[in-house]
């Protein structure tokens, strides 16, 4: 009698376990199929990810934005800044570049472009920052930069209408490297158009005459040697996003 009950109980549990196994396997299969039949996003400003995966990245972006909004990157005393600053990435830094002919092109809208010299930019109030510059490749270095806050630059040149657009695009003079920055991050208090490193003009391979320095994002976004700045409501072309890296690349 007792044995019979035990047998019954074992059978009951076996059926439950097996049913649970089948249901879990089925859900797994359906999820997998959903993922792969999901339409791929178009190539270009994105990485051709499966739509559900892109949704995850976009959700991450929303969370990061919520936390990074107004948050300041940690800064360090000048004594901690590296004297020998690492050089990483030479895309868009062609050797035949002539700095004496350089002017910053600011495309307010198609057909309406400002041309600025380095002297024009140096007239604006200077801000310095010493922070831990982080590359996605896994290294970081405390470094010291000087320049004008991007937000100050926008105000000074009457780019108020542009600041209501969603994105800023930065491109090197030879168009070999390009990044897109969401406007909120571009206007962040620590985002600089930098023309100095360690109290001296930027070295050539560090982006002379002018580079972006955006401490709230990975190094890939801090474009060296800015040629053109433009504004858009669409995500501007971004070199590493095209290779599959996260467009936002926030820290
Ligand atoms: N024009 C240009 N800017 C660039 C890059 C590049 O290849 N070309 N590389 C980026 C990357 S990946 C990093 S980590 C930083 C490195 O800046 P540094 O050379 O001053 O250390 O520059 C960024 N800006
Ligand atoms: Mo990097």
């Amino acid at each position: 009698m007792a044995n019979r009950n035990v047998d019954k109980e074992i059978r009951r549990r076996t059926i439950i376990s097996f049913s649970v196994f089948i249901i879990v396997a089925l859900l797994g299969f359906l999820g997998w199929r959903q993922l792969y039949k999901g339409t791929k996003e178009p190539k270009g400003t994105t990485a051709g990810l499966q739509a559900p995966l892109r949704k995850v990245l976009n959700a991450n972006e929303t969370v990061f934005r919520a936390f990074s909004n107004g948050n300041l990157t940690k800064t360090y005393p000048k004594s901690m800044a590296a004297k020998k600053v690492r050089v990483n990435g030479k895309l868009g830094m062609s050797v035949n570049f002539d700095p004496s002919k350089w002017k910053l092109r600011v495309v307010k809208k198609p057909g309406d472009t400002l041309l600025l010299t380095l002297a024009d930019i140096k007239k604006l109030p200077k801000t310095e920052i010493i922070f831990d510059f982080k590359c996605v490749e896994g290294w970081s270095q405390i470094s010291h930069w000087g320049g004008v806050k991007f937000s100050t630059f926008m105000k000074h040149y009457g780019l108020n209408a542009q600041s209501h657009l969603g994105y800023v695009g930065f491109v090197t003079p030879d168009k070999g490297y390009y990044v897109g920055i969401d406007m909120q991050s571009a206007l962040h208090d620590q985002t600089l158009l930098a023309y100095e490193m360690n109290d001296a003009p930027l070295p050539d391979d560090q982006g002379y005459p002018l580079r972006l320095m955006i401490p709230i994002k990975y190094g890939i976004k801090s474009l060296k040697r800015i040629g053109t700045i433009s504004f858009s409501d669409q995500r501007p072309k971004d070199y590493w996003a095209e290779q599959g890296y996260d467009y936002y690349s926030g820290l």
Side-chain angles (χ1 to χ4, degrees), residues 88-89 133-139 177 218-221 240:
N88 203 63
F133 188 89
K134 296 189 176 78
C135 172
V136 282
E137 289 165 29
W139 57 269
Y177 195 63
Y218 278 109
I220 42 177
K221 292 289 190 177
W240 287 110

Side-chain angles (χ1 to χ4, degrees), residues 65 150 154 159-169 180-188 191 214 217 230-232 248:
R65 281 199 196 215
F150 191 71
M154 292 285 283
L159 299 167
N160 191 47
Q162 284 73 13
S163 74
H164 294 296
L165 295 174
Y167 297 92
V168 193
I181 308 282
D182 55 287
M183 186 60 74
Q184 194 183 356
S185 300
L187 296 177
H188 183 276
T191 303
I214 181 158
K217 293 187 187 284
S230 61
F231 307 92
S232 167
Y248 190 65

Side-chain angles (χ1 to χ4, degrees), residues 90 104 120-121 125 138 191:
K90 295 205 155 101
L104 177 65
D120 292 331
I121 291 157
T191 303

Side-chain angles (χ1 to χ4, degrees), residues 3-243:
N3 257 349
R4 237 228 237 109
N5 277 343
V6 170
D7 279 354
K8 241 172 131 182
E9 181 60 17
I10 288 174
R11 203 173 316 129
R12 199 177 70 86
R13 289 196 187 187
T14 305
I15 290 169
I16 290 174
S17 309
F18 193 66
S19 310
V20 167
F21 169 77
I22 293 287
I23 290 167
V24 169
L26 200 69
L27 286 177
F29 172 73
L30 289 176
W32 173 82
R33 214 182 50 164
Q34 193 60 29
L35 185 57
Y36 281 93
K37 90 174 190 228
T39 41
K40 269 204 179 183
E41 57 190 354
K43 274 269 184 192
T45 57
T46 54
L49 281 184
Q50 306 293 342
L53 294 179
R54 175 59 67 189
K55 274 194 197 139
V56 172
L57 274 186
N58 287 348
N60 286 347
E61 174 172 333
T62 308
V63 172
F64 270 110
R65 281 199 196 215
F67 281 104
S68 71
N69 184 10
N71 265 1
L72 292 181
T73 298
K74 185 175 168 32
T75 57
Y76 295 83
K78 212 165 168 171
S79 58
M80 285 180 74
K83 293 284 163 284
K84 268 183 128 177
V85 182
R86 185 167 174 159
V87 174
N88 203 63
K90 295 205 155 101
L91 295 161
M93 315 267 289
S94 32
V95 281
N96 53 13
F97 171 69
D98 182 356
S100 70
K101 298 216 174 81
W102 179 87
K103 279 205 175 118
L104 177 65
R105 294 166 47 83
V106 183
V107 185
K108 295 175 84 172
K109 50 187 169 225
D112 184 3
T113 301
L114 283 171
L115 284 178
L116 303 173
T117 64
L118 189 56
D120 292 331
I121 291 157
K122 283 187 171 173
K123 278 185 207 140
L124 302 179
K126 186 166 99 181
T127 299
E128 291 176 48
I129 186 166
I130 299 135
F131 75 102
D132 197 12
F133 188 89
K134 296 189 176 78
C135 172
V136 282
E137 289 165 29
W139 57 269
S140 82
Q141 190 176 46
I142 297 174
S143 49
H144 172 200
W145 309 88
V148 58
K149 285 183 187 182
F150 191 71
S151 59
T152 304
F153 168 85
M154 292 285 283
K155 276 190 212 116
H156 181 84
Y157 284 104
L159 299 167
N160 191 47
Q162 284 73 13
S163 74
H164 294 296
L165 295 174
Y167 297 92
V168 193
F170 296 83
V171 185
T172 56
D174 68 0
K175 302 185 171 63
Y177 195 63
Y178 37 90
V179 300
I181 308 282
D182 55 287
M183 186 60 74
Q184 194 183 356
S185 300
L187 296 177
H188 183 276
D189 209 46
Q190 293 171 313
T191 303
L192 303 183
L193 294 178
Y195 48 79
E196 283 182 2
M197 189 187 84
N198 288 337
D199 292 314
L202 282 183
D204 225 37
D205 48 13
Q206 237 110 17
Y208 183 86
L210 190 70
R211 77 177 294 175
L212 182 64
M213 203 30 90
I214 181 158
I216 57 166
K217 293 187 187 284
Y218 278 109
I220 42 177
K221 292 289 190 177
S222 286
L223 178 138
K224 300 190 278 193
R225 195 185 283 166
I226 306 171
T228 305
I229 299 178
S230 61
F231 307 92
S232 167
D233 243 344
Q234 311 289 320
R235 285 182 166 183
K237 254 164 57 114
D238 187 280
Y239 187 92
W240 287 110
E242 286 172 2
Q243 308 302 314

